Amino acid sequence: MTFRILFCMLLLPLGSAHAQGTPALQPGDPAAPVPAVPYRSVFADLPTGVEAGREDWKKANAEVGRFTRGHVDILKWEQQTPPASPATPAEAAKPAAPSSQTR
């Protein structure tokens, strides 16, 4: 029985030393290693090429300038301009042409 107690007394300090391992890194330590943070711009995923084409701004200003009374002139212009012909039901039901682009 004394042998068991002696054996346990010898192993107890070894087990506690093994459980401690390496000391944990302290967040307040200025010498603690810190992983590098990769830089990624927040603008990287923004769509580009939204505009189909560029319009001459002088021409656009002149077109808008025709409507001197604003919305009232636009409504009158819409009444004078014939509406676009609506698509026939057969054209609306046509399936779209297959795309040549692959994803």
Side-chain angles (χ1 to χ4, degrees), residues 13-93:
L14 293 177
S16 64
H18 178 67
Q20 289 179 359
T22 59
L25 297 175
Q26 298 297 322
D29 182 14
V34 179
V37 179
Y39 171 76
R40 185 171 177 275
S41 174
V42 296
F43 301 111
D45 294 332
L46 287 180
T48 57
V50 176
E51 295 180 6
R54 295 199 179 257
E55 188 174 338
D56 182 25
W57 65 269
K58 290 180 182 179
K59 181 182 172 188
N61 282 350
E63 288 178 11
V64 172
R66 291 186 309 153
F67 306 113
T68 56
R69 294 184 303 163
H71 190 70
V72 172
D73 284 344
I74 293 173
L75 290 175
K76 285 184 180 181
W77 175 79
E78 286 177 347
Q79 290 173 355
Q80 293 171 358
T81 306
S85 62
T88 62
E91 290 176 359

